[in-house]
Amino acid sequence: MRAPDDITRTRIYVPAMDCPDEEKEIRVALSRLPSVESLTFHLFSRQVEVDHRGEVEPVIDALRRIGMEGHPLNDALRRAAVPSSEKGPRNTFLLSGATLLIGAGSQFLFPGESLARLPFLASILLGGAPVAMRGFREIRNRSLGMNALMTISIGGATLLGDWAEAAVVVTLFALANTLEARSLDRARRATADLFASSPERAVVRVGGPGGEERIVPAEEVQPGDTLVLRPGERVPVDAVIRRGASDLNESVLTGESVPVEKEEGEELFAGTVNGRGLLIAEATRPLSESTYARILRRVEEAQAEKAPVQTFMERFAAAYTPSVLAMAVLVVAVPSLLGRGPALVWAYRALVMLVIACPCAIVLAAPVVTLAALTRATREGILVKGARHLEAMGAIRAVAFDKTGTLTRGSLRVTRVRTADGWTEEEVLRLAGAVEAASAHPAAVAIRREAGRRGVATAARGTLARTFEPVEGQGVAAEVEGRKICVGNRRMFERMGIGDDELDRLLENGERAAPTVAIVGTPGALAGAIEMEDELRPEAAEAVRALRDLGVAHIVLLTGDNAEAARKAGSAAGIDDVEHGLLPDDKLARIRDLVASHGSAAMVGDGVNDAPALALATVGVAIAAAGSPAAMETADVALMTADLRRIPSAVVLGRRMVSLVRQNVASSLAIKAVFLAMAMAGYASLWMAVLADMGTTLLVIFNGLRLLRARTGNHQRA
């Protein structure tokens, strides 16, 4: 979303923003600035997007006041490498660990000596100072977090005289922070790999063939510039081939490692890699508007969006920590007042409870999984708007497919031209081609292609088509050579008064023999009919079977084509429920019925002609969206290729994501509950609580990162 003109949007890299506690602290600090309008956090890339008025310096100063450095980023695409976590936690662990070992050795060599305990105090100070500074900031900002709770626990243990245990707690906590940071770095690197293909330079030819070649930054390339692409070079911007042919590695967009053969007139995408041939291409979009840039923006937006379960867990954590803190106060006060034991014993148990109150594992239970799921989906050429859409994809119970360009290749070919009395096949093709000259509809492309094959394409292009008039759900009309020519379906001509007998004589059951028929004529007479066929995508039947195997209860084909075309496509794909002759409003009504009947439904289409139906469905899925910016913006899920098997893959990934989030939530809450009970009963120590908290946090992180391993592989379970 674009910021208003009087507001500046600045992306700031904050190296110290490692976990939700730091995010919360930064949010509190920056929200107090009157110049800040809104904040968007990208936790796993350690970045915050700030909408602010005036200069950015007050924002940077506010970060410094809470002990964090901020570095403004000028180019959102320049994130090929994400720096690893700061070395602070590791150094703290090494220092506190070393002095802890010295203390242990001193106690062994000089048992009972007071001076032998001093190394433990040194370990507490060296390891606890960074924690205490952050903890006091959290208390000052009224945002109780892990550091504040650990500061109270470590300080309490020290005051109680348990220096050795306090030193162990400090060292284990530093180790936990080190391991957590490294684990999260793995997730960050997986996301950073998506940005590593950002084009950096371009070879631009100036002055026509044989002109001077200049190397310029990719972001400086403008539409119309001539690009020289040598073997092995990365395509800098979206372009179209003007000369040459080659194979292109488009795995960065589609997830397919098999190169795609391309020749003159075909489109190239930024970030893809040229194979064997030399290509001369013309830039069509600047880098910032390229398909690659749009994908990166969508990935970031998706990662910034929180799934419903993540929002719930954050609200739960916000209540959980103060609740456990209140319980700890009661544990100190109530039992000792009732004479159930010394106050110091209950104070120690309360300190153990404070360690268990750390909310990190609870807060990380969902975002690590959703980050991994979205990253993996993008790797496989499945672009998802956000975790909630992937979650919805896993829960769909009905799927509606469009036909042309979705179940079928969308590349029709003319199989026969029928003519009325007084007309030739070439005249019918020439007039139809003139009416359809500017249309991108598959039928229009097929008509123009056949006109070219028969040598009347020049005539078709040269014919002036004026007053172009689309007739919704029926066809198109335009004035050609001084008369109105109509190209459409049977319904269009019936409404113009052409009788059924006349239509039947022209078609001679052509509507039954050919799936697609375009009738050509004037408002008062028929000129001919053009029969076309579309080829079913080879993987369509496999994709439908996979969806049924996954328990999708209802699969339906919705199309505006005639009954024979719909029946033939549905039968070949294994879809029994076929509805034909539908207008756009009819499709909307069917989608509405599916959602009402099954609770959730996905609509699969091309993302442009089906935009209203995609928007109405629970999840709108657009296929072959790499070359269609509109499809990428419209759909909730956009498949970068036309491989329909990615749809069941997305269903599997959505279900796997939800399953892992539930596992993380259940395990973190269960472990916390067990240790709270153990703490109150006196069976848990401080170091045991730190180990439990560390183990739980690492458990949820590694469990979530499992999604980054193997591909789903069509419809195999993740």
Side-chain angles (χ1 to χ4, degrees):
M1 186 179 293
R2 189 173 169 269
D5 294 337
D6 60 337
I7 293 177
T8 303
R9 176 165 294 170
T10 304
R11 186 182 291 267
I12 301 173
Y13 173 62
V14 186
M17 189 170 69
D18 264 326
C19 84
D21 276 345
E22 282 91 11
E23 176 184 324
K24 184 179 178 182
E25 190 176 355
I26 292 170
R27 186 184 297 277
V28 170
L30 297 188
S31 297
R32 293 173 176 170
L33 298 178
S35 61
V36 171
E37 293 292 322
S38 65
L39 300 168
T40 303
F41 286 86
H42 304 277
L43 177 62
F44 289 96
S45 58
R46 298 195 189 92
Q47 294 171 19
V48 56
E49 204 169 63
V50 185
D51 286 348
H52 60 95
R53 301 178 189 276
E55 299 298 323
V56 74
E57 279 70 20
V59 176
I60 304 299
D61 291 340
L63 289 172
R64 288 199 187 101
R65 284 195 295 273
I66 61 172
M68 299 187 189
E69 291 295 323
H71 308 284
L73 298 176
N74 295 322
D75 186 353
L77 285 178
R78 299 301 176 202
R79 289 183 299 273
V82 174
S84 60
S85 294
E86 292 184 303
K87 296 180 180 179
R90 188 188 68 180
N91 292 340
T92 301
F93 166 65
L94 294 176
L95 287 171
S96 61
T99 49
L100 173 64
L101 290 176
I102 293 172
S106 300
Q107 286 281 73
F108 178 77
L109 294 174
F110 308 104
E113 291 289 336
S114 299
L115 291 177
R117 300 178 64 210
L118 289 179
F120 292 134
L121 183 59
S123 178
I124 295 169
L125 294 175
L126 289 171
V131 179
M133 286 189 290
R134 287 188 175 183
F136 285 128
R137 284 202 306 267
E138 289 177 0
I139 294 171
R140 185 183 63 194
N141 292 329
R142 298 177 184 175
S143 60
L144 274 181
M146 173 181 63
N147 293 289
L149 295 173
M150 289 302 301
T151 299
I152 297 171
S153 298
I154 295 166
T158 305
L159 291 175
L160 290 174
D162 294 329
W163 290 8
E165 186 163 16
V168 171
V169 169
V170 166
T171 303
L172 288 177
F173 185 60
L175 174 62
N177 285 338
T178 302
L179 294 177
E180 179 186 327
R182 292 200 171 190
S183 303
L184 292 176
D185 278 343
R186 182 178 167 192
R188 292 187 179 100
R189 282 193 294 272
T191 304
D193 288 343
L194 301 175
F195 296 87
S197 299
S198 178
E200 294 185 357
R201 67 179 189 91
V203 179
V204 177
R205 177 174 291 173
V206 182
E212 178 188 0
E213 293 183 6
R214 297 177 182 172
I215 298 177
V216 301
E219 56 265 25
E220 292 183 8
V221 177
Q222 297 298 318
D225 286 351
T226 300
L227 306 174
V228 180
L229 296 168
R230 294 182 171 82
E233 291 185 339
R234 196 174 295 279
V235 180
V237 297
D238 287 0
V240 62
I241 300 174
R242 294 307 181 201
R243 191 165 71 250
S246 184
D247 57 306
L248 276 293
N249 183 342
E250 296 185 340
S251 59
V252 66
L253 302 183
T254 65
E256 293 289 349
S257 58
V258 179
V260 180
E261 298 291 336
K262 297 204 172 187
E263 57 188 21
E264 186 176 325
E266 294 194 79
E267 192 171 8
L268 301 174
F269 301 114
T272 59
V273 180
N274 185 22
R276 301 182 302 268
L278 173 68
L279 297 176
I280 306 299
E282 179 184 338
T284 55
R285 299 187 190 103
L287 178 60
S288 61
E289 297 177 14
S290 66
T291 299
Y292 181 74
R294 290 174 185 273
I295 289 175
L296 298 190
R297 283 196 291 271
R298 283 286 296 272
V299 170
E300 286 211 315
E301 289 167 3
Q303 291 177 354
E305 181 188 88
K306 295 179 180 179
V309 67
Q310 183 177 345
T311 305
F312 168 76
M313 291 306 294
E314 288 179 355
R315 287 201 303 265
F316 176 83
Y320 167 80
T321 301
S323 299
V324 176
L325 184 59
M327 285 176 59
V329 173
L330 292 175
V331 164
V332 174
V334 175
S336 56
L337 290 176
L338 296 177
R340 295 301 181 93
L344 290 180
V345 172
W346 290 103
Y348 180 84
R349 295 181 184 182
L351 294 178
V352 176
M353 292 178 64
L354 291 183
V355 175
I356 299 168
C358 293
C360 227
I362 295 174
V363 176
L364 285 174
V368 173
V369 180
T370 57
L371 173 82
L374 292 170
T375 300
R376 178 165 168 182
T378 306
R379 281 180 182 174
E380 297 189 14
I382 305 169
L383 192 60
V384 187
K385 268 188 176 177
R388 64 187 176 92
H389 298 292
L390 191 56
E391 182 178 342
M393 193 73 192
I396 58 169
R397 293 293 175 263
V399 178
F401 285 95
D402 181 42
K403 184 182 80 68
T404 304
T406 302
L407 274 184
T408 64
R409 292 186 182 275
S411 179
L412 296 169
R413 61 185 181 89
V414 175
T415 56
R416 182 176 180 181
V417 180
R418 298 175 180 269
T419 59
D421 293 340
W423 294 85
T424 66
E425 293 184 8
E426 284 69 22
E427 284 178 318
V428 172
L429 281 169
R430 179 174 60 83
L431 293 174
V435 173
E436 301 276 22
S439 175
H441 191 280
V445 174
I447 290 170
R448 293 199 300 270
R449 187 186 301 118
E450 182 65 13
R453 191 184 70 81
R454 297 196 184 197
V456 294
T458 301
R461 283 196 297 268
T463 303
L464 179 63
R466 295 178 296 140
T467 62
F468 183 82
E469 179 187 345
V471 182
E472 187 177 48
Q474 299 178 33
V476 295
E479 187 177 315
V480 180
E481 298 175 350
R483 54 185 169 175
K484 185 176 183 179
I485 301 296
C486 303
V487 181
N489 56 26
R490 185 179 184 119
R491 188 188 300 121
M492 183 181 194
F493 286 87
E494 286 175 343
R495 291 190 175 183
M496 291 190 296
I498 305 295
D500 288 341
D501 292 342
E502 192 174 351
L503 285 165
D504 289 340
R505 282 196 302 274
L506 172 66
L507 298 175
E508 295 178 358
N509 291 323
E511 284 182 299
R512 296 187 63 82
T516 302
V517 177
I519 303 173
V520 184
T522 65
L526 297 174
I530 303 171
E531 297 178 5
M532 291 164 278
E533 287 187 350
D534 192 2
E535 183 182 358
L536 191 78
R537 295 190 188 279
E539 75 284 355
E542 182 182 346
V544 171
R545 282 196 305 272
L547 287 171
R548 286 208 172 94
D549 291 343
L550 290 170
V552 176
H554 191 72
I555 301 175
V556 60
L557 174 61
L558 305 179
T559 179
D561 271 352
N562 59 58
E564 180 62 20
R567 186 203 61 77
K568 187 174 181 181
S571 176
I575 300 175
D576 299 324
D577 189 355
V578 177
E579 300 191 36
H580 60 86
L582 301 179
L583 297 174
D585 285 345
D586 298 327
K587 288 186 180 180
L588 288 176
R590 299 302 188 277
I591 292 295
R592 197 175 287 112
D593 291 342
L594 283 174
V595 173
S597 302
H598 300 278
S600 62
M603 173 67 193
V604 185
D606 60 14
V608 180
N609 297 325
D610 301 296
L614 293 181
L616 185 61
T618 310
V619 184
V621 182
I623 72 165
S628 174
M632 290 173 62
E633 295 299 324
T634 301
D636 301 316
V637 177
L639 308 184
M640 294 296 99
T641 69
D643 189 345
L644 294 173
R645 292 172 296 186
R646 300 295 170 87
I647 298 170
S649 291
V651 173
V652 170
L653 191 55
R655 293 180 182 180
R656 188 68 172 146
M657 180 189 76
V658 172
S659 173
L660 289 179
V661 168
R662 287 173 178 168
Q663 291 174 24
N664 279 355
V665 170
S667 60
S668 59
L669 292 179
I671 292 171
K672 295 280 187 184
V674 168
F675 266 83
L676 276 174
M678 289 176 63
M680 293 183 68
Y683 293 111
S685 62
L686 279 173
W687 67 266
M688 289 171 61
V690 173
L691 280 179
D693 186 70
M694 174 179 70
T696 307
T697 302
L698 294 178
L699 175 67
V700 300
I701 292 173
F702 287 126
N703 195 41
L705 293 180
R706 288 165 55 198
L707 279 176
L708 292 175
R709 291 180 186 171
R711 288 167 57 100
T712 50
N714 299 337
H715 61 278
Q716 298 300 316
R717 296 188 180 275

